[in-house]
Amino acid sequence: MNFNASPARRTLFAAAVVFAATLPLASARAEDNTFTLTIKDHVFTPATLEVPAGQRIKLVVVNEDSTTEEFESKILHIEKLVGGNKTITVLVGPLDPGTYEFVGEFHEDSAKGTLVAK
């Protein structure tokens, strides 16, 4: 940078440096709000998943079974097919504090769980 540049150009340059320095922090926070659910033998693990209230989260659903399952939560208005041995990502929230139930619709007797927003 030319230090003989106008004050406006120096200010713009300084703002760009500060913005660039904060980019890694923003992506780290996004990764902190990623949570994983695994379906195996038609059961969700963990069955209860704690997530932060008031923040958007990324929910990764891994289906380790060979058959398709449907991840469904009526309270969250989510219905997503997860193919056998496939993974999907669902954006959820921000959620108010509380408990939100979900099921594997094709095996509701065993594939059930809750998100607990705290």
Side-chain angles (χ1 to χ4, degrees), residues 32-37 45-59 92 95-100 102 113-118:
D32 289 346
N33 282 341
T34 299
F35 299 88
T36 302
L37 286 171
T45 303
T48 300
L49 183 61
E50 288 189 13
V51 299
Q55 297 180 33
R56 192 163 176 91
I57 65 164
K58 189 184 297 185
L59 188 59
V92 179
L95 299 174
D96 290 331
T99 300
Y100 301 84
F102 59 86
T114 55
L115 289 179
V116 178
K118 291 186 174 185

Side-chain angles (χ1 to χ4, degrees), residues 1-11 13:
M1 161 135 201
N2 178 354
F3 289 98
N4 293 325
S6 70
R9 288 190 84 186
R10 286 194 303 259
T11 301
F13 177 76

Side-chain angles (χ1 to χ4, degrees), residues 40-106:
K40 185 172 183 178
D41 299 324
H42 312 299
V43 174
F44 283 104
T45 303
T48 300
L49 183 61
E50 288 189 13
V51 299
Q55 297 180 33
R56 192 163 176 91
I57 65 164
K58 189 184 297 185
L59 188 59
V60 177
V61 183
V62 179
N63 184 357
E64 292 185 355
D65 291 333
S66 60
T67 57
T68 298
E69 185 58 87
E70 182 172 8
F71 177 79
E72 179 177 10
S73 174
K74 291 183 182 180
I75 194 165
L76 296 173
H77 307 290
I78 298 171
E79 286 186 65
K80 289 277 215 172
L81 289 175
V82 189
N85 298 308
K86 301 287 183 191
T87 299
I88 64 165
T89 300
V90 181
L91 297 178
V92 179
L95 299 174
D96 290 331
T99 300
Y100 301 84
E101 295 180 349
F102 59 86
V103 297
E105 186 176 7
F106 301 152

